[in-house]
Amino acid sequence: MLSLKSIGASLVGIVVLLLFRLQTTEGSLHEYTGENFVSKGNGFVVHGGSEGIYSSLTNNLSQSHSYSTNTDSFIRFEKILFRRPKEFSNFSSGPIHAIVFDVDDRETIGGSAYGGQRAICCTADLAKLGVCTQGQIIHRPSANNPGWPKVFSASFSNDEVDVALTSRSIPITKTGMYNVYFIHCEPNLKEVTVEGKTIWKNPTGYLPGRMAPLMNFYGCMSLAFVLLGIFWFSQYARFWREVIPLQNCITLIITLGMLEMAFWYFDYAEFNETGVRPTGTTVWAVTFGTVKRTVSRLVILIVSMGFGVVRPTLGGLTSKVLLLGGTFFLASEVLELVENVGAVSDFSGKARLFFVLPVAILDAFFILWIFTALSKTLNKLQARRLLAKLDIYRKFTNALAVTVILSVGWTCYELYFKSTDVYNERWQNAWIIPAFWQVLSFSLLCIICVLWAPSQNSMRYAYSDDGEELDKDATLTLIKPSPLLPKDVRNQPEVRPTLGNNELSNGADVEDKTE
């Protein structure tokens, strides 16, 4: 109990820090505010971004100007500035490169002499072979994409503190996962920082390629929730006198789902239009989604325990259920904020794993508790011969079992997909991963809505002291022994009256009169 409370307190702190940190984060406008070069191999690198970009629908964009139409795809460098401290400005430097390449051409960057360790910058051995100039980055022309990779350079003069990279737009004529890196090969420039921004655009807008299909998906999901809401609310209005507490909880989940899908759609639509991800809209979408998932799990858990069906309260379990729900909400909120608010480039595997593990563990705990409680509830319903409730609970259990099996199978596929796609080469299909989880949860919600739809017989599924006693009495009546008769009465022979002629004639007279 104490450990869960401490975890919850830590997660609250992380949520607050993330909200402050992500207030000014932008999307397809990749901003660099004093980014430091990091040593990698024998070079120094700043990762400028990675996005999937579809090819332009027109080819009227040149690198000499920034004009573009709505159907152009490009990567634009704006106000890129390399800056070094004054005390390190007393010498002229070698070039600092900006390199843009498709992930399919990654082997054209760097090289090795005699099959040794791969290097980014040209070494003395490679220079002797005549394949590059010592101190320059190693790159070769792409065999599949002529004119790529794109490499631009700027150098510091003596006593120069700032040097600017010429602003330019690079048209994208081939669909791919593109990367931007700033690289230099001089240890004397380790104090240099990068400022400015790059703008990335797809033919349909500023949404990164892996996110673009999600805008239409969330639009379709919003429509699906509206249709489900129309069905549910019409039934709710018709039979509002018969509504039970569980149906109120389902109403809340449907409302939260409608809000979540709407906010996700508007989040992607604004991001696509402006190139800046709206932090406020994203936070609301994340929060509504997290609340929906938390409430859904809690409702499934308490229904599995038989609350409102075979037991009027949860008793001492109420605090444990609420604590589990609160911890799950905080862990999920942190994960979703990290993954979505201002995010464009992929996070490192280790960072994401750190936030995914708590949510996965809590989900496993929910599943274990739900099916344990369901087993006990089914046994109670069967023992009490509550056949109507038993039938609906069996269908509910089957739906949950299928959902869990599909979830485990999809989780395995997701792990396989990501482990075999190290360089994000299958980015065009990556949107299917989050979309499947939304479709699966919506399908389970639809099944629950059908099982517990408001009707004139809704109250027969609710807990009732009178109903329970009646069921018990009926069960006892079926097995109640008949009363024992006294021994004399049991042994007394049956007396059969003997009818005489007069009685027969009287009977005949009665029949005649009847006729």
Side-chain angles (χ1 to χ4, degrees):
M1 183 77 70
L2 291 175
S3 61
L4 282 175
K5 289 182 179 178
S6 61
I7 292 172
S10 301
L11 290 171
V12 170
I14 293 174
V15 170
V16 174
L17 288 174
L18 282 171
L19 289 175
F20 280 107
R21 175 180 173 271
L22 296 170
Q23 279 181 348
T24 58
T25 306
E26 295 189 341
S28 274
L29 305 179
H30 292 255
E31 282 200 307
Y32 318 112
T33 55
E35 307 294 331
N36 294 305
F37 283 83
V38 177
S39 177
K40 186 165 293 187
N42 66 340
F44 299 86
V45 176
V46 169
H47 181 212
S50 299
E51 284 191 28
I53 302 181
Y54 292 93
S55 62
S56 299
L57 301 180
T58 60
N59 293 319
N60 63 349
L61 180 66
S62 68
Q63 296 184 29
S64 59
H65 57 76
S66 59
Y67 172 76
S68 66
T69 67
N70 291 331
T71 57
D72 287 327
S73 297
F74 60 80
I75 300 174
R76 180 182 301 157
F77 289 81
E78 286 192 359
K79 300 178 181 178
I80 299 296
L81 191 70
F82 302 114
R83 177 168 291 168
R84 62 179 176 175
K86 181 67 176 177
E87 57 270 24
F88 294 98
S89 63
N90 58 350
F91 62 92
S92 299
S93 73
I96 302 175
H97 304 279
I99 183 166
V100 185
F101 63 95
D102 184 356
V103 72
D104 291 339
D105 299 328
R106 60 186 179 276
E107 295 300 327
T108 65
I109 310 299
S112 61
Y114 312 111
Q117 184 177 3
R118 194 173 184 83
I120 298 175
C121 298
C122 186
T123 62
D125 291 336
L126 288 170
K128 289 177 183 178
L129 295 174
V131 297
C132 58
T133 303
Q134 187 171 357
Q136 303 287 322
I137 66 169
I138 305 168
H139 63 91
R140 298 174 301 281
S142 170
N144 302 319
N145 197 4
W148 288 80
K150 303 290 185 182
V151 181
F152 314 104
S153 304
S155 302
F156 286 102
S157 299
N158 192 30
D159 294 328
E160 193 173 23
V161 177
D162 300 329
V163 61
L165 189 70
T166 304
S167 296
R168 69 191 72 220
S169 292
I170 303 172
I172 304 299
T173 57
K174 176 179 176 290
T175 298
M177 172 63 71
Y178 286 87
N179 299 271
V180 169
Y181 283 91
F182 301 102
I183 305 173
H184 70 78
C185 302
E186 291 193 27
N188 292 334
L189 295 177
K190 62 181 180 180
E191 302 296 332
V192 172
T193 58
V194 183
E195 298 178 4
K197 64 182 177 181
T198 54
I199 302 172
W200 309 55
K201 184 180 177 298
N202 268 288
T204 56
Y206 291 98
L207 269 178
R210 64 185 176 88
M211 293 183 181
L214 288 173
M215 183 175 71
N216 293 330
F217 170 76
Y218 283 118
C220 294
M221 286 300 298
S222 298
L223 179 61
F225 265 97
V226 168
L227 295 176
L228 178 62
I230 291 173
F231 161 75
W232 182 264
F233 294 134
S234 63
Q235 291 294 106
Y236 193 97
R238 286 178 60 194
F239 305 105
W240 64 273
R241 294 182 183 274
E242 305 293 326
V243 168
I244 60 178
L246 171 60
Q247 291 165 338
N248 290 328
C249 294
I250 296 173
T251 303
L252 174 62
I253 293 171
I254 293 174
T255 304
L256 289 170
M258 294 171 69
L259 291 171
E260 180 196 8
M261 295 302 110
F263 272 103
W264 276 127
Y265 176 77
F266 289 124
D267 174 54
Y268 283 114
E270 185 173 348
F271 187 10
N272 190 56
E273 183 69 25
T274 65
V276 179
R277 191 155 193 181
T279 303
T281 307
T282 309
V283 170
W284 277 113
V286 164
T287 302
F288 277 122
T290 305
V291 172
K292 185 197 76 174
R293 286 190 296 275
T294 303
V295 173
S296 300
R297 282 160 174 77
L298 291 178
V299 169
I300 291 174
L301 178 58
I302 63 175
V303 169
S304 301
M305 291 177 173
F307 174 72
V309 178
V310 296
R311 57 193 300 178
T313 65
L314 295 178
L317 295 175
T318 303
S319 59
K320 295 180 180 178
V321 170
L322 292 177
L323 180 60
L324 177 61
T327 307
F328 178 83
F329 170 79
L330 291 174
S332 298
E333 184 79 357
V334 170
L335 174 62
E336 294 297 322
L337 286 174
V338 169
E339 284 195 330
N340 293 286
V341 179
V344 175
S345 297
D346 289 334
F347 289 93
S348 65
K350 292 181 180 178
R352 189 178 185 280
L353 183 64
F354 177 77
F355 294 107
V356 167
L357 277 177
V359 178
I361 292 171
L362 291 169
D363 258 332
F365 195 82
F366 261 115
I367 291 171
L368 181 63
W369 198 352
I370 285 170
F371 279 96
T372 302
L374 265 176
S375 177
K376 295 178 181 178
T377 302
L378 287 171
N379 290 336
K380 287 181 182 179
L381 293 173
Q382 194 165 7
R384 297 179 184 180
R385 297 176 182 264
L386 303 176
L387 301 182
K389 295 179 181 179
L390 180 62
D391 179 62
I392 199 170
Y393 261 81
R394 281 176 173 166
K395 294 176 181 177
F396 177 60
T397 304
N398 292 337
L400 283 181
V402 171
T403 302
V404 170
I405 292 171
L406 291 175
S407 298
V408 172
W410 192 254
T411 300
C412 294
Y413 173 74
E414 184 176 354
L415 291 173
Y416 167 78
F417 183 92
K418 293 183 177 180
S419 63
T420 58
D421 189 32
V422 179
Y423 300 104
N424 293 320
E425 295 174 274
R426 297 200 294 268
W427 57 273
Q428 296 181 70
N429 299 322
W431 69 275
I432 299 174
I433 300 295
F436 175 84
W437 294 114
Q438 294 286 358
V439 172
L440 183 63
S441 62
F442 179 76
S443 300
L444 180 60
L445 179 60
C446 289
I447 293 172
I448 292 174
C449 287
V450 171
L451 291 177
W452 273 285
S455 66
Q456 59 186 2
N457 298 320
S458 294
M459 294 304 296
R460 68 176 179 172
Y461 300 120
Y463 176 82
S464 172
D465 288 332
D466 296 336
E468 299 287 332
E469 292 300 325
L470 286 173
D471 286 324
K472 289 180 183 177
D473 293 343
T475 304
L476 291 174
T477 303
L478 292 175
I479 61 174
K480 185 176 180 180
S482 58
L484 294 176
L485 296 174
K487 184 176 180 180
D488 296 338
V489 175
R490 283 184 294 171
N491 294 334
Q492 184 175 353
E494 184 178 356
V495 178
R496 295 173 181 258
T498 303
L499 298 178
N501 293 332
N502 293 334
E503 290 173 329
L504 288 172
S505 61
N506 291 337
D509 293 338
V510 172
E511 287 182 1
D512 293 338
K513 291 178 181 178
T514 303
E515 293 176 358

